[in-house]
Structure formats: structure tokens, C-alpha cells
Amino acid sequence: MQFELTQEYLERIRDAIANAENDFLREKMEELHYQDISAIVQELEVDQMRYVLDLFPKHEGALIIRELVPEDRKRLFKIYEPEEIASFITHIDSDDAVDIINELPVKTGEEVVAHIENKEKADHVRDLLHYDEDCAGGLMAKEVIK
């Protein structure tokens, strides 16, 4: 199914958020790919963005956040605590995690890394933070499939 984001659809989503129609929102979002959900989220006010993301398990919310444009991630992460951001970061590849952490203020980024509970993931992220974004080390994830 091809998804088309119309003004009518977006207004219905905003109304559902305003009226806390969580079942409706979950049902509508369940039909969509996370990239489509990201397109919807980008059109919302920051408190509405958070409302929608809070409807999803962290691993699904992480995929949606990963697809947001950096400006929208920055807006969104201003209302999240570092440990909350870390809970999303845990669920994405280390190279994407580093890209997102590099968009944050330095102190916040350090706090986010400190709150990553998975030690191996945190080590991968710390390792990749030392590379420039455009070099091989900055483009590759450290996770390996065995």
C-alpha cells in the first residue's frame, strides 16, 4: 500500500492526539512503515511528536527517530532526558547512534553515552565517536552478525 500524507490525514492524527485516542493512533500507525510514521511525526508539534513516540516500544520508536531529519530530532530531544535518549540509542546500529549523538550538545551526548546500559553498545559508540563522519570509521557500524 502506498502511503500519502494528506492534510486531512494529518489533522485526524492531531485530533486523535488531542483526544487521547490511543487505540485509533496505534491502529493507524500499525499499518504504516516506520519511515511513513516519521513523515507524520515531522509534521507535528514537539509535544505531539513525543506523544506518538510514547505509543511505541522503544525499539520501534528508535527506528522512527532514526528517520527524522536532524533538525526535528534536535527539537524532539530537547524535551527528553539523556537516559530517555539512551533508551532509544540502544536499539539502533552504532554508526546511526553516533550520528545522532553528534547532533546533541557535547555535554548531553556524553550523558547519553553514560546512560547506555548495554556495555558493548556503549563501547562501540565511544569507539566510533573518535572518527570524523566522512571517514570509513565514521561510516561503519561496529555490530557484526555471526
Side-chain angles (χ1 to χ4, degrees), residues 9-97:
Y9 185 89
L10 195 54
E11 283 306 313
R12 180 60 184 110
I13 295 298
R14 287 182 178 129
D15 288 343
I17 293 168
N19 295 313
E21 297 176 39
N22 295 348
D23 291 337
F24 170 81
L25 289 165
R26 281 189 199 98
E27 180 182 313
K28 285 297 175 191
M29 302 289 174
E30 200 173 83
E31 301 170 356
L32 302 174
H33 191 270
Y34 62 87
Q35 291 168 322
D36 297 328
I37 299 169
S38 178
I40 294 167
V41 168
Q42 288 180 162
E43 297 297 323
L44 301 174
E45 296 297 323
V46 73
D47 58 325
Q48 296 170 325
M49 294 168 84
R50 182 175 183 144
Y51 188 91
V52 169
L53 287 169
D54 286 347
L55 295 174
F56 292 93
K58 291 295 184 197
H59 69 277
E60 292 177 23
L63 295 173
I64 296 165
I65 288 170
R66 187 185 70 189
E67 295 301 318
L68 293 173
V69 295
E71 296 78 29
D72 287 325
R73 268 196 303 264
K74 286 179 191 176
R75 273 189 325 130
L76 179 63
F77 282 158
K78 285 182 181 176
I79 64 170
Y80 278 99
E81 295 297 321
E83 56 271 12
E84 294 174 301
I85 299 170
S87 69
F88 289 113
I89 295 293
T90 299
H91 297 287
I92 58 176
D93 290 338
S94 57
D95 60 326
D96 292 327

